[in-house]
Amino acid sequence: MSTIDSKLSNAKQLQKSALPHLGLVCITVSKEVRFRTITLKRYSQMSLEQREATLRELYQDNLQRLHKALSFCEENNLQLYRMTSALFPLSDLEDRIGENILEEMSPDLRKIGQRAVELNIRMVLHPDQFVVLSSDNPQVVETSIKILERHARTLDLLGLPRSSWSLMNIHGGKSQRVDQLVQVISKLPESIKSRLTLENDENAYSASEILEVCKRANIPLVFDAHHQICHEKLDSYDDPSVAEMFYAARETWANPDWQLVHISNGEEAFNDRKHSELITDMPSVYREAPWIEIEAKRKEEAIAYLRSWWLLEN
């Protein structure tokens, strides 16, 4: 077993007796963790030489910012970090400039992956909303797969495992397309499918519907309790269906210790789909969740607040 594999195994063993790990999503509300980007319009106005120089400098800068994100997680005892899907913008264009730069930078990317393992920080991804594998438009499906391929390549360059430990999480997309969704997933390359997870949402796919897809496609379900209460119009996170779907989702994970769930609260009302500043209400069953991504506007402040009351309750 390699040093990296050994350390990754140790991290997973430590998780078994730990409290839930609360994860940071992409950036901080402070300026500690932020990333740069560039628009396609600006990029298109550049010469080939300018494009290469601009992307090379931007990618190198974002790599340093990713290092800083890991340092922030270490300092704040965060062992789960969702990387931004815009870490390396425009790396999937036909000119292949960004793609080639990332290949050249692969030793630097691998160092970051190694550092994450050494710090026992689990790194995951949530590709953007344009990934719709259930679309009835073949071009949309093709583009979605290309987006997933780009993210899978990034995870490979980071040296992160092809497993749900380093997952790529997406929504079901267009409703009432279960058969197509299963069919498309079954044909995905191993670099994608080995990391792919699906999440229930507020509109198109209920937890029970996306559970069917996950079972048939043999991929894990990332359960979101707030999406559940919004979709089903529930008035409590402790409605029996929340615990029922939490446990059903756990059965889709080959290793239950890797199960990841999401939490957010409504901004103005319990069933409000907009995310609140902090987390003030939690499902009781989430005490059994190994990994929880905190989807609140105040980011690290929301995590600190949640730790101040929920993790301290008996």
Side-chain angles (χ1 to χ4, degrees):
M1 180 182 291
S2 69
T3 302
I4 291 180
D5 288 340
S6 177
K7 289 181 177 178
L8 188 57
S9 177
N10 290 339
K12 296 165 188 173
Q13 291 298 320
L14 286 171
Q15 171 59 28
K16 292 183 178 180
S17 59
L19 291 170
H21 287 313
L22 309 182
L24 176 67
V25 174
C26 300
I27 63 173
T28 55
V29 69
S30 70
K31 295 183 179 180
E32 288 293 314
V33 180
R34 296 294 174 91
F35 296 92
R36 292 172 53 195
T37 189
I38 182 174
T39 65
L40 179 58
K41 180 178 179 180
R42 179 188 167 201
Y43 181 81
S44 300
Q45 295 169 344
M46 297 177 177
S47 66
L48 290 178
E49 292 76 13
Q50 289 173 324
R51 291 178 182 184
E52 181 173 354
T54 299
L55 289 189
R56 188 180 302 278
E57 192 274 333
L58 191 155
Y59 291 0
Q60 289 174 340
D61 190 25
N62 274 357
L63 269 184
Q64 292 306 310
R65 291 167 184 255
L66 186 55
H67 264 302
K68 190 171 183 179
L70 291 179
S71 295
F72 181 88
C73 288
E74 179 186 21
E75 293 163 4
N76 291 275
N77 192 28
L78 298 170
Q79 292 183 278
L80 173 62
Y81 177 61
R82 182 202 290 182
M83 292 180 285
T84 173
S85 61
L87 186 61
F88 301 117
L90 308 183
S91 62
D92 58 348
L93 297 183
E94 290 185 3
D95 63 17
R96 302 190 67 179
I97 292 175
E99 179 182 345
N100 292 336
I101 290 172
L102 286 180
E103 290 294 336
E104 294 173 13
M105 294 171 59
S106 59
D108 295 326
L109 271 77
R110 185 166 288 273
K111 287 179 183 178
I112 290 183
Q114 290 174 334
R115 183 169 181 235
V117 172
E118 291 167 357
L119 294 174
N120 293 331
I121 296 173
R122 183 181 184 183
M123 300 174 75
V124 299
L125 267 172
H126 196 325
D128 58 41
Q129 61 185 352
F130 300 110
V131 175
V132 184
L133 297 181
S134 57
S135 174
D136 50 14
N137 185 332
Q139 184 61 45
V140 172
V141 175
E142 181 180 349
T143 300
S144 297
I145 294 173
K146 287 182 178 178
I147 293 173
L148 292 175
E149 287 175 338
R150 169 167 56 90
H151 289 311
R153 184 172 69 250
T154 296
L155 295 173
D156 281 344
L157 290 173
L158 287 166
L160 299 177
R162 290 186 173 186
S163 73
S164 56
W165 176 261
S166 302
L167 61 83
M168 297 191 297
N169 184 54
I170 64 173
H171 292 285
K174 190 173 178 63
S175 63
Q176 299 180 339
R177 304 279 290 181
V178 168
D179 289 342
Q180 177 182 322
L181 192 51
V182 172
Q183 183 178 25
V184 172
I185 291 173
S186 68
K187 296 178 180 178
L188 291 173
E190 188 266 344
S191 63
I192 298 174
K193 187 178 179 184
S194 60
R195 296 175 168 123
L196 195 67
T197 62
L198 287 177
E199 177 185 351
N200 59 301
D201 62 74
E202 311 103 311
N203 299 309
Y205 286 93
S206 67
S208 59
E209 289 170 327
I210 212 69
L211 175 65
E212 178 188 349
V213 177
C214 288
K215 285 182 175 180
R216 290 175 56 185
N218 194 29
I219 61 173
L221 189 161
V222 172
F223 177 64
D224 188 309
H226 194 69
H227 290 171
Q228 168 77 355
I229 64 98
C230 288
H231 191 282
E232 304 300 328
K233 298 179 174 58
L234 306 177
D235 58 9
S236 171
Y237 285 124
D238 288 330
D239 184 275
S241 69
V242 173
E244 176 185 350
M245 293 312 308
F246 171 84
Y247 290 123
R250 173 167 289 183
E251 293 298 316
T252 66
W253 291 79
N255 185 340
D257 295 325
W258 294 5
Q259 183 186 19
L260 185 144
V261 299
H262 291 179
I263 189 62
S264 57
N265 287 170
E267 183 177 46
E268 297 182 359
F270 184 69
N271 295 102
D272 189 352
R273 290 171 169 80
K274 296 179 182 178
H275 292 178
S276 60
E277 299 281 317
L278 302 172
I279 301 297
T280 59
D281 196 359
M282 287 286 284
S284 297
V285 74
Y286 268 24
R287 291 190 176 280
E288 300 180 39
W291 306 88
I292 308 174
E293 284 187 23
I294 308 304
E295 297 184 318
K297 292 181 179 178
R298 299 302 296 179
K299 303 290 184 175
E300 74 278 16
E301 293 176 7
I303 293 174
Y305 183 72
L306 191 55
R307 284 172 167 171
S308 74
W309 68 272
W310 186 65
L311 290 184
L312 296 180
E313 288 184 346
N314 293 324

